C-alpha cells in the first residue's frame, strides 16, 4: 500500500467540507480560542509559496488547540475592496466586482488545496453589500459620537447637544477643532439648524475638513502615507503631490494616549510596539503664540524646548501653512510661490526622510518675540510639515542641528540674522542639543537655570501673559478617510445645503452604483461622479436618478468612497457572527469570543491596519458595541519567504568615448564602431563565471588596460570570442569596453538544480522576444545563470506556485517544508531542492504503518526505546507549538521516525499517538493513518497525547570500558548498580579477562553513569 498524497488529500479535503469539520460553535462549554490570519487581498496573480507561511503556522495552532479541547474559531475571508482591482478594471474594461470574484475563486481553490482548517461557513468579503452595510453603520456611529476628555471615552453626540442646550460649550472638555468659538446655552438654542450642524462637525469623531492630502494625479485619488514609496505611489510608481481637499477625516488623535498605553497590555513584539509608539510620537512641551508684526494673526508653535525661547533666531512655516499667502510680501511673492509649487510635488515621507537637502525661502514677514518684542523673520521650509504639530517651528539654531544647518546655509542673506547663543557652551562647530550639562545665559528671567527649571519657569510666564501653556503633543495626525475611487465602500451620506446627513441604519447598505468609467470625471470629481443614479430620496428612502435632485426632498449623495482600511478595521468581529443580518455581531457572540487570541500577519501593517483596528475597537468598546479594549491579544509577524531569482547577463559593448551618436561628421572608424555596438548589444549573453566581481555601473567606461588588470578572464575572453565571431570587425573590438546588464529570467527556462539555462526555451519565451537570435558565451559548454535571494515577486520571475508543489509532492509536504525552512518570524530563502527530503520523510512515516501488502501495525507491547522516542517527540512538539517554534518540531518528527524505523516499530501503542502529534502539521496523512488504524471520523478533535516523564528516565547506561584510558569496548549496565556491583560484572566479562591477559589491575576507577577505567 503506497503513499499517494494526491488521492489522500483530495478525499480528506472533501470530507472536511462535507462534514463542516472545522465549523466553530458560538455556544460551547469548551474554552474558546480564536486564531486569525490577516486576510488576503485577492489579486489576479494568485498565491505563491510565500503567502501560506503564516496561514500554515496559524493552522498548526488551531488544529493543536482543537486536540487540546478548545472550541476554536479559525476563519478566513477577503479584503476585497481596493485600488489594484480598480486599476485592473480601468485597464481592461471589466467590472472590478467580476475580476474580484474570479480572483477569490482562484484563491479559494489554492487555499483548499493546502488543507487549512478554516471555518469557511463564516467567510467574509469586504466588498459584499451584506458586509459593508455594517462598515457604513460604524461610520455613522463615529459621526454620531464625540470624545469627552473628562470621561476619557467616546460618547453619543446627544450628550454633547444636551450640554450645549443647558450650559453652552464653556465647560466642555472635548477633542475637537482648534478654532472653537465659545457660546452660551441661549446662543446655542438661538442658532439655526445649519449653524448647529456646522458647530457639531467641529466635535464629531468623523468630520469634513479641508486637509492637506497626498494626491496622485495618475491614479486620480488620495493616498495614505503608507501607500507612497520614495515619493511615488506604491501602486504603479506615479508621482504624488500635496494638495488641499475637503475630505472626511477621523479623530484617531483622540485615542493617541490610549493607543500608547494599550501597548503595555498586549503580547506583541517589542519592535512592532516601538513602531506604533514612534508613529504616535508623544511629546511633552508648550504651545506658544508669536504675534505677527502689523497684524492680528498669530503663529502658534509647539515646542518641546520652551526653555530655549530666548534663542529663537527665525521661524519656519510649512510651505502649505495657511498664513503663507497672507504674510508674504510682494517682493518675496515670486520666490515663495515657486517654492510652494515645487514642494507640492514631494510627499511628506520624502520630505521627512531627506535630512541632507537644505532649502527654504524668506517670506519677508516678521513675527514678534513674546517677551522681548524683537522682530523674528518668518521663513518657509519643506522640512516643516503642515500635518505635524502646528505646521510651524520656532527655530533655535544654537540648540537644534537642523535649525543650525538652515541658519548657516542662509547666513548673510536677507531675513537670516546671526545665531543667538543662550547656552554657556561652545556652538562654533555645532548646535548644543543636550538637555543637561548647561546653564542658560542671555535669557532674561531664565538666566542660570537648566532644562527642567527653565521649562517650568517659562511656561508659568507664558501663561501669565496669555501667549502660551503647557501641552502634550502627538505626531499622530487625524486619519484622512476619503478616497477618490470607485471600488470602495460608499459613504451613507447625502448633502443638504452642503452639510452632511446620515442615512438611517434600516436603509443600509447604500450599494455601489454602476458607472461607465472608473476614472475621475472630466471636471475632476471622483469616479462616482460618473454615476447617473446617485441621489437620495428622503421621502422614499432610496437611491434615485440624479435628474430628480431638487434639494428639497432629493439630494446629492457623497461621491468619495472609504479607504481600503475601513473594512479591515473591524472584520475579526464579523467572523464571530457572520450571518447576522441586523447587527455586525450579536452581543452574545461578542461576549463569547471577546477578541483574537492569536493574530498572525506581516509587520508592514504596523502603522496602518494594526493602528486603525485598535482605534476602531476602542471606539466600539466606548459606545458599548465591543466587549474589549484591544482586538488582538497576541500578535506574531511572520517573515518573508524569499525567492531565489535567476539572472542572465546581456553583454554590453561601449565605446571608450562617452555620448557619441552616429552623425555625418563622425570619422568612418567611429561610425563603424557604433554600428558594431548597435548590432551586438542585444545579441550576446555571457555565462555567470565571466561576470564575477564585475560591476557595469562603475566599470563600463573604464580604459581597457585597467579592466584587464581587474578582471582578466572577463576582458580577455569576451574580445577573443567576438573576434572569432566577427572576423571582419576584429580591428574594431580592441577599441571597446565591455560590461553586462543583469536581466531577471523566468525560472521555467532553467534547471533549478544545476542552474543551467535552457537556451532554446529562453529564446522562445514570450517575455524575451527581443533576444530570439541571441548567442551565448558559455563556460564548459553550458550557460550558467546567476542566482540571488530576493523578495518573491511576479516581476522578478522568481515566484513558486504552491499548486505545483502540492500536485507533485502533496500539501503535507508543502506545509512541513515551509515550517522546516526556519523560525516563523525570520525571512527565509526558498529552495525547491529541499522539498524532496521532506517528501521522503512522509514516505518513511507511512512505511511504519504499511508495506506493499497493507497494514503492518501490531498490538505488541513497545520497547522502552520506542516509548522514549515517542514521548521525546510529544514533549518537544507540545513545547514548540506553545512557543510558536514550528521549525524545530519538524526536525523532531524526522528524528523520531528515523529512530522508530531503526527499532522496527510497528506498534499501535506508539503509532496511534504519533499520528495525532503530527496531525497539526501534516493533517491529511494523519487523517488517513487514523482511518487505517480502524477509527471512524476525523482525527481533528482526538485528545493530544500527554507527555509522561517516566519514559525519559534512563534505566540503563552504555558504559565505555577503558584500559589505561583507552576505550576497548562498551557494556550496558543498569543505572541502579553500586560501584562494587559494577566492578564485579566488568571483571567477570570475558572481554575484560582477555584484555588483562592474567594481570590484575592496580586500580578500577568507576564513576556511576559515566566511566569505567581499569588502570595498570
Amino acid at each position: 500500500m503506497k503513499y499517494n498524497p494526491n488521492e489522500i488529500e483530495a478525499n480528506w479535503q472533501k470530507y472536511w467540507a462535507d462534514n463542516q469539520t472545522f465549523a466553530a460553535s458560538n455556544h460551547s462549554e469548551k474554552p474558546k480560542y480564536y486564531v486569525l490570519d490577516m486576510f488576503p487581498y485577492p489579486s489576479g496573480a494568485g498565491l505563491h509559496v510565500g503567502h501560506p507561511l503564516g496561514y500554515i503556522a496559524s493552522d498548526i495552532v488551531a488544529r493543536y488547540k482543537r486536540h487540546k479541547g478548545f472550541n476554536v474559531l479559525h476563519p478566513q475571508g477577503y479584503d476585497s475592496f481596493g485600488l489594484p482591482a480598480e486599476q485592473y478594471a480601468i485597464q481592461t474594461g471589466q467590472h472590478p466586482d467580476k475580476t474580484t470574484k474570479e480572483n477569490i475563486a482562484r484563491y479559494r481553490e489554492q487555499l483548499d488545496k493546502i488543507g487549512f482548517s478554516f471555518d469557511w461557513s463564516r467567510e467574509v468579503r469586504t466588498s459584499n453589500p451584506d458586509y459593508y452595510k455594517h462598515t457604513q453603520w460604524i461610520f455613522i456611529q463615529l459621526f454620531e459620537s464625540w470624545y469627552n476628555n473628562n470621561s476619557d471615552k467616546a460618547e453619543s453626540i446627544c450628550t454633547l447637544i444636551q450640554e450645549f442646550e443647558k450650559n453652552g460649550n464653556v465647560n466642555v472638555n472635548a477633542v475637537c477643532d482648534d478654532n472653537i468659538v465659545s457660546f452660551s446655552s441661549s446662543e446655542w438654542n438661538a442658532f439655526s439648524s445649519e449653524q448647529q450642524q456646522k458647530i457639531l462637525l467641529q466635535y464629531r469623531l468623523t468630520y469634513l475638513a479641508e486637509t492637506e492630502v497626498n494626491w496622485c494625479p495618475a491614479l486620480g485619488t488620495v493616498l495614505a502615507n503608507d501607500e507612497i514609496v520614495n515619493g511615488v505611489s506604491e501602486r504603479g510608481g506615479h508621482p504624488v503631490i500635496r494638495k488641499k481637499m475637503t475630505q472626511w477625516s477621523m479623530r484617531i488623535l483622540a485615542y493617541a494616549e490610549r493607543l500608547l498605553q494599550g501597548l503595555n497590555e498586549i503580547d506583541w513584539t517589542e519592535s512592532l510596539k516601538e513602531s506604533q509608539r514612534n508613529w504616535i510620537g508623544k511629546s511633552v512641551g508648550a504651545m506658544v503664540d508669536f504675534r505677527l508684526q502689523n497684524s492680528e494673526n498669530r503663529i502658534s508653535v509647539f515646542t518641546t524646548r520652551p526653555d530655549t525661547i530666548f534663542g529663537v533666531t527665525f521661524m519656519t512655516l510649512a510651505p502649505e501653512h495657511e498664513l503663507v499667502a497672507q504674510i508674504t510680501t510682494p517682493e518675496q511673492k515670486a520666490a515663495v510661490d515657486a517654492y510652494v509649487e515645487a514642494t507640492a510635488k514631494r510627499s511628506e515621507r520624502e520630505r521627512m526622510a531627506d535630512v541632507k537637502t537644505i532649502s527654504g525661502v524668506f517670506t519677508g514677514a516678521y513675527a514678534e518675540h513674546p517677551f522681548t518684542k524683537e522682530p523674528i523673520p518668518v521663513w518657509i521650509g519643506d522640512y516643516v510639515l503642515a500635518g505635524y504639530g502646528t505646521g510651524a517651528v520656532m527655530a533655535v539654531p544654537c540648540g537644534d542641528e537642523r535649525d543650525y544647518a538652515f541658519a548657516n546655509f542662509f547666513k548673510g542673506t536677507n531675513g537670516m540674522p546671526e545665531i543667538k547663543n543662550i547656552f554657556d557652551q561652545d556652538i562654533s562647530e555645532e548646535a548644543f542639543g543636550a538637555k543637561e550639562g548647561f546653564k542658560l545665559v542671555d535669557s532674561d528671567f531664565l538666566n542660570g537655570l537648566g532644562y527642567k527649571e527653565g521649562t517650568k519657569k517659562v511656561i508659568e510666564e507664558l501663561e501669565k501673559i496669555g501667549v502660551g501653556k503647557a501641552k502634550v503633543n502627538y505626531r499622530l495626525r487625524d486619519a484622512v478617510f476619503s478616497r477618490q475611487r470607485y471600488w470602495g465602500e460608499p459613504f451613507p451620506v447625502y448633502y443638504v445645503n452642503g452639510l452632511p446627513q446620515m442615512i438611517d441604519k434600516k436603509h443600509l447598505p447604500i450599494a455601489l452604483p454602476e458607472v461607465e468609467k472608473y476614472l475621475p470625471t472630466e471636471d475632476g470629481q471622483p469616479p462616482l461622479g460618473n454615476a447617473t443614479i446617485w441621489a437620495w430620496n428622503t421621502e422614499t428612502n432610496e437611491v434615485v436618478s440624479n435628474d430628480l435632485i431638487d434639494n428639497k426632498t432629493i439630494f446629492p449623495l457623497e461621491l468619495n468612497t472609504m479607504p481600503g482600511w475601513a473594512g479591515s478595521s473591524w472584520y475579526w468581529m464579523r467572523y464571530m457572527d457572520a450571518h447576522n443580518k441586523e447587527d455586525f455581531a450579536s452581543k452574545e457572540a461578542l461576549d463569547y469570543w471577546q477578541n483574537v487570541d492569536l493574530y498572525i500577519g506581516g509587520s508592514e501593517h504596523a502603522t496602518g491596519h494594526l493602528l486603525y483596528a485598535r482605534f476602531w475597537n476602542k471606539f466600539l468598546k466606548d459606545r458599548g458595541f465591543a466587549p474589549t479594549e484591544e482586538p488582538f491579544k497576541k500578535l506574531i509577524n511572520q517573515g518573508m519567504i524569499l525567492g531565489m531569482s535567476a539572472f542572465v547577463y546581456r553583454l554590453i559593448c561601449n565605446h571608450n568615448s562617452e555620448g557619441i551618436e552616429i552623425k555625418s561628421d563622425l570619422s568612418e572608424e567611429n561610425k563603424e564602431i557604433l554600428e558594431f555596438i548597435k548590432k551586438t548589444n542585444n545579441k550576446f549573453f555571457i555565462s555567470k563565471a565571466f561576470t564575477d566581481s564585475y560591476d557595469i555601473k562603475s566599470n563600463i567606461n573604464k580604459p581597457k588596460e585597467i579592466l584587464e588588470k581587474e578582471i582578466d578572464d572577463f576582458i580577455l575572453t569576451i574580445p577573443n570570442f567576438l573576434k572569432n565571431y566577427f572576423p571582419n570587425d576584429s580591428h574594431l573590438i580592441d577599441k571597446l569596453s565591455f560590461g553586462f546588464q543583469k536581466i531577471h529570467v523566468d525560472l521555467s527556462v532553467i534547471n533549478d538544480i544545476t542552474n543551467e539555462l535552457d537556451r532554446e526555451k529562453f529564446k522562445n519565451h514570450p517575455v524575451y522576444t527581443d533576444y530570439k537570435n541571441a548567442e551565448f558565451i558559455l563556460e564548459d559548454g553550458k550557460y550558467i545563470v546567476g542566482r540571488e535571494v530576493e523578495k518573491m515577486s511576479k516581476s522578478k520571475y522568481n515566484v513558486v506556485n504552491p499548486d505545483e508543489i502540492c500536485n507533485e509532492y502533496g500539501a503535507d509536504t508543502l506545509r512541513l517544508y515551509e515550517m522546516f525552512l526556519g523560525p516563523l518570524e525570520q525571512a527565509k530563502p526558498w529552495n525547491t531542492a529541499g522539498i524532496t527530503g521532506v517528501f521522503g520523510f512522509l514516505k518513511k512515516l507511512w512505511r511504519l504503518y504499511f508495506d506493499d501488502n497493507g497494514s503492518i501495525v501490531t498490538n505488541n507491547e513497545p520497547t522502552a526505546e520506542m516509548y522514549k522516542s515517542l514521548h521525546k517527540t510529544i514533549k518537544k512538539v507540545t513545547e514548540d507549538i506553545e512557543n510558536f517554534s514550528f521549525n524545530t518540531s519538524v526536525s523532531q518528527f524526522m528524528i523520531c521516525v528515523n529512530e522508530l524505523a531503526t527499532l522496527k516499530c510497528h506498534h499501535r501503542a506508539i503509532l496511534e499517538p504519533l499520528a495525532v502529534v503530527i496531525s497539526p502539521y501534516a493533517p491529511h496523512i494523519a487523517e488517513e493513518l487514523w482511518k487505517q488504524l480502524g477509527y471512524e471520523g476525523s482525527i481533528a478533535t482526538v485528545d493530544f497525547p500527554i507527555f509522561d516523564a517516566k519514559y525519559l528516565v534512563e534505566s540503563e547506561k552504555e558504559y565505555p570500558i577503558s584500559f589505561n584510558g583507552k576505550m576497548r569496548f562498551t557494556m550496558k549496565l543498569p543505572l541502579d548498580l553500586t560501584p562494587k556491583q559494577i566492578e564485579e560484572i566488568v571483571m567477570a566479562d570475558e572481554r575484560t579477562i582477555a584484555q588483562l591477559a592474567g594481570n590484575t589491575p592496580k586500580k578500577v576507577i568507576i564513576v556511576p553513569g559515566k566511566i569505567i577505567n581499569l588502570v595498570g
Side-chain angles (χ1 to χ4, degrees):
M1 187 174 179
K2 290 186 177 179
Y3 173 49
N4 184 343
N6 290 335
E7 181 182 329
I8 290 169
E9 290 172 3
N11 288 342
W12 282 105
Q13 286 163 14
K14 183 176 186 303
Y15 176 92
W16 295 333
D18 291 346
N19 291 277
Q20 292 287 288
T21 303
F22 308 117
S25 170
N26 283 1
H27 307 282
S28 175
E29 296 301 315
K30 295 179 179 180
K32 71 95 181 179
Y33 193 83
Y34 186 173
V35 56
L36 181 65
D37 303 289
M38 290 186 186
F39 61 169
Y41 178 83
S43 71
L47 297 173
H48 60 62
V49 293
H51 291 124
L53 179 69
Y55 302 161
I56 296 169
S58 68
D59 198 55
I60 289 169
V61 175
R63 288 176 178 275
Y64 169 75
K65 289 292 184 180
R66 289 192 195 94
H67 286 303
K68 297 294 281 186
F70 285 82
N71 178 31
V72 176
L73 176 55
H74 185 35
Q76 187 57 283
Y78 304 96
D79 192 9
S80 48
F81 267 137
L83 188 58
E86 181 168 304
Q87 289 301 112
Y88 190 71
I90 292 168
Q91 292 163 8
T92 64
Q94 299 183 77
H95 197 290
D97 183 60
K98 175 179 180 292
T99 56
T100 298
K101 285 176 178 173
E102 290 170 354
N103 294 342
I104 285 175
R106 172 79 178 117
Y107 267 58
R108 177 62 189 272
E109 179 187 10
Q110 289 185 290
L111 291 169
D112 283 345
K113 205 162 193 171
I114 301 173
F116 295 117
S117 63
F118 293 134
D119 181 354
W120 284 111
S121 70
R122 298 173 186 250
E123 177 194 304
V124 302
R125 303 181 184 187
T126 59
S127 58
N128 279 6
D130 63 356
Y131 179 88
Y132 68 70
K133 69 179 283 186
H134 302 293
T135 310
Q136 292 173 337
W137 175 82
I138 294 172
F139 173 83
I140 294 169
Q141 302 316 302
L142 283 153
F143 184 81
E144 297 294 349
S145 301
W146 67 293
Y147 200 90
N148 187 341
N149 280 326
N150 290 336
S151 62
D152 198 22
K153 67 175 188 177
E155 297 180 5
S156 168
I157 201 75
C158 296
T159 63
L160 183 64
I161 294 171
Q162 289 168 5
E163 177 65 19
F164 289 169
E165 289 172 344
K166 290 179 182 178
N167 304 306
N169 69 346
V170 178
N171 297 318
V172 169
N173 184 12
V175 177
C176 54
D177 290 357
D178 291 331
N179 56 337
I180 297 294
V181 176
S182 296
F183 53 81
S184 65
S185 59
S186 58
E187 288 174 318
W188 169 262
N189 293 319
F191 288 151
S192 68
S193 172
E194 285 190 10
Q195 286 175 304
Q196 290 180 344
Q197 287 182 60
K198 287 176 182 177
I199 291 169
L200 288 172
L201 269 177
Q202 296 181 299
Y203 291 87
R204 296 182 186 275
L205 281 182
T206 186
Y207 60 96
L208 278 172
E210 189 172 66
T211 312
E212 280 281 337
V213 296
N214 301 311
W215 174 253
C216 181
L219 298 177
T221 190
V222 166
L223 299 176
N225 282 336
D226 57 349
E227 295 173 310
I228 302 166
V229 178
N230 297 325
V232 297
S233 63
E234 186 177 37
R235 181 76 181 176
H238 303 295
V240 177
I241 63 173
R242 299 290 292 169
K243 181 179 179 181
K244 280 192 173 180
M245 297 179 71
T246 299
Q247 302 282 293
W248 282 103
S249 291
M250 291 205 170
R251 294 190 205 276
I252 188 174
L253 189 56
Y255 285 85
E257 189 62 28
R258 284 170 63 185
L259 289 167
L260 269 179
Q261 297 306 318
L263 293 171
N264 300 324
E265 308 300 321
I266 50 182
D267 184 6
W268 292 17
T269 64
E270 195 54 38
S271 61
L272 198 150
K273 288 183 181 182
E274 198 58 25
S275 292
Q276 290 208 352
R277 289 189 189 106
N278 291 336
W279 192 260
I280 295 167
K282 182 177 180 179
S283 302
V284 178
M287 190 68 73
V288 185
D289 289 340
F290 290 78
R291 192 176 68 82
L292 284 158
Q293 284 190 339
N294 306 315
S295 170
E296 290 304 311
N297 287 320
R298 295 187 175 201
I299 298 174
S300 295
V301 302
F302 172 79
T303 175
T304 59
R305 294 295 304 272
D307 60 308
T308 65
I309 195 163
F310 287 99
V312 176
T313 301
F314 61 97
M315 302 194 75
T316 315
L317 303 183
E320 310 90 348
H321 196 288
E322 59 184 7
L323 286 176
V324 171
Q326 299 176 41
I327 68 174
T328 299
T329 61
E331 296 82 7
Q332 295 297 112
K333 188 175 187 309
V336 167
D337 288 350
Y339 188 80
V340 169
E341 183 180 351
T343 302
K345 297 174 182 176
R346 303 182 74 201
S347 72
E348 280 192 355
R349 281 198 172 181
E350 184 183 358
R351 287 160 60 182
M352 288 169 66
D354 185 4
V355 296
K356 294 181 179 178
T357 305
I358 299 172
S359 67
V361 176
F362 177 44
T363 64
Y366 289 84
E368 186 180 86
H369 194 283
F371 293 117
T372 68
K373 307 305 179 185
E374 291 177 301
I376 303 170
V378 181
W379 287 66
I380 59 172
D382 66 1
Y383 73 96
V384 183
L385 304 174
Y388 290 84
T390 64
V393 298
M394 58 176 224
V396 182
C398 65
D400 181 89
E401 287 183 17
R402 197 149 197 177
D403 294 343
Y404 188 87
F406 194 93
N408 277 315
F409 187 81
F410 291 105
K411 184 177 180 180
T413 61
N414 181 32
M416 184 53 68
E418 288 290 321
I419 294 174
K420 298 176 183 178
N421 186 11
I422 56 166
F423 302 114
D424 60 350
Q425 302 290 325
D426 179 25
I427 64 160
S428 58
E429 299 295 329
E430 60 183 357
F432 181 79
K435 290 184 176 180
E436 55 187 24
F438 72 89
K439 296 293 182 185
L440 290 165
V441 298
D442 295 328
S443 296
D444 202 291
F445 56 84
L446 298 179
N447 285 337
L449 300 181
Y451 164 67
K452 288 184 179 178
E453 306 95 325
T455 297
K456 182 180 179 183
K457 179 69 173 174
V458 76
I459 291 174
E460 289 174 358
E461 295 301 320
L462 288 167
E463 289 177 345
K464 278 182 187 177
I465 61 175
V467 294
K469 60 182 179 180
K471 171 84 172 174
V472 175
N473 203 44
Y474 300 90
R475 185 181 294 116
L476 182 68
R477 297 294 91 196
D478 282 349
V480 176
F481 198 67
S482 296
R483 296 295 184 267
Q484 292 65 46
R485 301 176 187 163
Y486 172 74
W487 193 234
E489 296 92 338
F491 285 90
V493 176
Y494 64 95
Y495 288 90
V496 177
N497 296 328
L499 290 169
Q501 313 295 319
M502 297 296 118
I503 293 170
D504 193 274
K505 173 184 176 180
K506 60 177 173 282
H507 306 308
L508 301 180
I510 304 303
L512 271 174
E514 293 292 329
V515 296
E516 284 189 22
K517 298 177 183 177
Y518 305 113
L519 287 167
T521 65
E522 291 180 3
D523 59 355
Q525 290 185 325
L528 288 186
N530 293 309
T532 56
I533 302 176
W534 197 237
W536 185 250
N537 188 322
T538 55
E539 291 186 330
T540 62
N541 293 304
E542 60 182 344
V543 178
V544 296
S545 171
N546 296 359
D547 295 339
L548 300 176
I549 293 174
D550 57 10
N551 289 309
K552 295 177 182 176
T553 59
I554 300 174
F555 302 92
L557 283 159
E558 171 67 69
L559 299 181
N560 289 308
T561 53
M562 298 185 198
W565 56 268
S568 64
S569 291
W570 70 278
Y571 76 110
W572 62 94
M573 287 186 269
R574 184 58 178 170
Y575 284 136
M576 297 177 186
D577 196 12
H579 304 295
N580 192 320
K581 293 183 179 179
E582 297 302 316
D583 301 307
F584 71 88
S586 69
K587 186 178 186 305
E588 292 75 20
L590 289 160
D591 286 344
Y592 177 76
W593 292 110
Q594 294 282 309
N595 54 9
V596 176
D597 295 283
L598 173 65
Y599 196 26
I600 297 182
S603 60
E604 67 273 15
H605 299 291
T607 56
H609 157 63
L610 289 171
L611 200 62
Y612 299 137
R614 295 181 64 218
F615 160 42
W616 277 34
N617 200 99
K618 288 176 185 296
F619 164 73
L620 291 169
K621 170 71 163 59
D622 286 352
R623 293 302 315 275
F625 305 124
T628 63
E629 270 278 314
E630 292 288 343
F632 317 119
K633 288 183 186 175
K634 182 173 183 63
L635 175 65
I636 296 177
N637 296 134
Q638 85 272 13
M640 283 185 187
I641 287 186
L642 304 172
M644 181 65 81
S645 297
F647 298 90
V648 290
Y649 302 90
R650 183 171 70 90
L651 181 67
I652 294 177
C653 304
N654 201 32
H655 195 277
N656 286 334
S657 301
E658 296 184 56
I660 295 178
E661 296 177 11
I662 299 178
K663 297 177 182 176
S664 58
D665 59 344
L666 287 178
S667 68
E668 287 302 315
E669 182 182 64
N670 273 346
K671 285 182 183 178
E672 283 184 285
I673 288 171
L674 294 173
E675 286 288 3
F676 178 79
I677 290 171
K678 265 188 165 183
K679 72 182 178 183
T680 57
N681 266 355
N682 263 5
K683 189 174 180 66
F684 294 97
F685 289 85
I686 54 180
S687 195
K688 176 69 176 67
F690 302 124
T691 71
D692 290 343
S693 305
Y694 190 82
D695 177 4
I696 183 174
K697 290 181 181 176
S698 60
N699 291 322
I700 189 64
N701 290 315
K702 283 186 179 179
K704 179 183 168 211
E705 61 269 23
I706 295 177
L707 287 170
E708 283 177 340
K709 291 175 185 174
E710 292 181 350
I711 39 171
D712 292 341
D713 286 345
F714 182 85
I715 198 65
L716 293 174
T717 303
I718 306 306
N720 288 337
F721 174 87
L722 292 179
K723 284 177 182 178
N724 292 332
Y725 205 89
F726 296 106
N728 295 333
D729 296 313
S730 61
H731 63 289
L732 303 175
I733 294 169
D734 287 336
K735 301 181 183 300
L736 299 174
S737 293
F738 300 97
F740 63 87
Q741 177 192 17
K742 286 167 64 175
I743 298 173
H744 280 95
V745 64
D746 196 309
L747 299 182
S748 66
V749 300
I750 69 167
N751 182 313
D752 209 28
I753 307 299
T754 65
N755 294 328
E756 183 179 357
L757 179 73
D758 185 320
R759 305 195 293 275
E760 289 307 309
K761 273 189 180 179
F762 173 76
K763 289 195 285 188
N764 292 310
H765 193 287
V767 171
Y768 309 113
T769 52
D770 287 349
Y771 311 125
K772 198 164 185 65
N773 298 315
E775 297 289 340
F776 300 89
I777 302 176
L778 309 176
E779 50 184 292
D780 299 326
K782 298 176 180 177
Y783 188 98
I784 304 300
V785 299
R787 303 302 295 266
E788 286 182 21
V789 174
E790 298 184 293
K791 179 180 177 181
M792 197 171 278
S793 167
K794 193 176 180 183
S795 65
K796 300 180 189 300
Y797 305 107
N798 63 358
V799 166
V800 177
N801 189 327
D803 297 4
E804 296 171 6
I805 305 297
C806 291
N807 291 338
E808 188 167 355
Y809 300 104
D812 286 340
T813 296
L814 174 69
R815 290 168 64 103
L816 284 165
Y817 183 60
E818 293 219 3
M819 292 298 98
F820 188 51
L821 283 172
L824 178 63
E825 296 92 340
Q826 292 181 8
K828 303 163 281 285
W830 178 269
N831 183 356
T832 304
I835 283 283
T836 54
V838 176
F839 184 52
F841 154 72
L842 285 173
K843 290 192 287 187
K844 198 167 190 177
L845 171 69
W846 184 262
R847 287 197 295 273
L848 294 177
Y849 297 76
F850 307 103
D851 64 13
D852 291 347
N853 299 314
S855 174
I856 53 175
V857 176
T858 73
N859 291 316
N860 298 341
E861 177 61 24
T863 66
E865 286 300 307
M866 294 175 187
Y867 277 120
K868 179 181 177 182
S869 184
L870 172 67
H871 281 269
K872 274 195 305 184
T873 303
I874 294 171
K875 181 176 187 292
K876 177 66 174 160
V877 172
T878 301
E879 291 172 351
D880 282 351
I881 296 178
E882 296 283 359
N883 293 314
F884 311 102
S885 301
F886 308 106
N887 58 309
T888 50
S889 281
V890 181
S891 300
Q892 181 58 39
F893 288 138
M894 293 176 174
I895 291 168
C896 178
V897 168
N898 283 334
E899 289 176 348
L900 294 178
T902 301
L903 295 168
K904 295 183 169 48
C905 176
H906 307 294
H907 300 59
R908 179 179 291 272
I910 301 296
L911 299 184
E912 277 189 7
L914 181 62
V916 180
V917 173
I918 206 168
S919 172
Y921 289 79
H924 306 89
I925 193 172
E927 291 275 23
E928 189 65 20
L929 295 175
W930 196 248
K931 175 185 174 184
Q932 296 299 331
L933 286 166
Y935 293 99
E936 293 184 2
S938 171
I939 198 174
T941 55
V942 173
D943 288 347
F944 202 79
I946 303 298
F947 162 66
D948 192 334
K950 73 180 182 183
Y951 292 110
L952 269 58
V953 175
E954 299 283 354
S955 60
E956 287 186 321
K957 166 69 180 177
E958 188 165 19
Y959 285 92
I961 312 299
S962 299
F963 294 82
N964 295 319
K966 293 183 179 180
M967 198 270 285
R968 298 303 183 183
F969 58 88
T970 62
M971 182 182 289
K972 271 192 180 178
L973 296 171
L975 280 169
D976 57 357
L977 294 177
T978 66
K980 186 177 180 182
Q981 290 172 321
I982 292 171
E983 182 177 345
E984 289 173 356
I985 294 168
V986 170
M987 292 301 292
D989 190 279
E990 60 184 22
R991 292 171 293 180
T992 303
I993 295 168
Q995 284 289 332
L996 291 173
N999 296 317
T1000 301
K1002 293 178 181 176
K1003 187 188 290 186
V1004 178
I1005 301 170
I1006 296 173
V1007 180
K1010 292 187 177 180
I1011 62 169
I1012 301 171
N1013 186 23
L1014 287 73
V1015 181

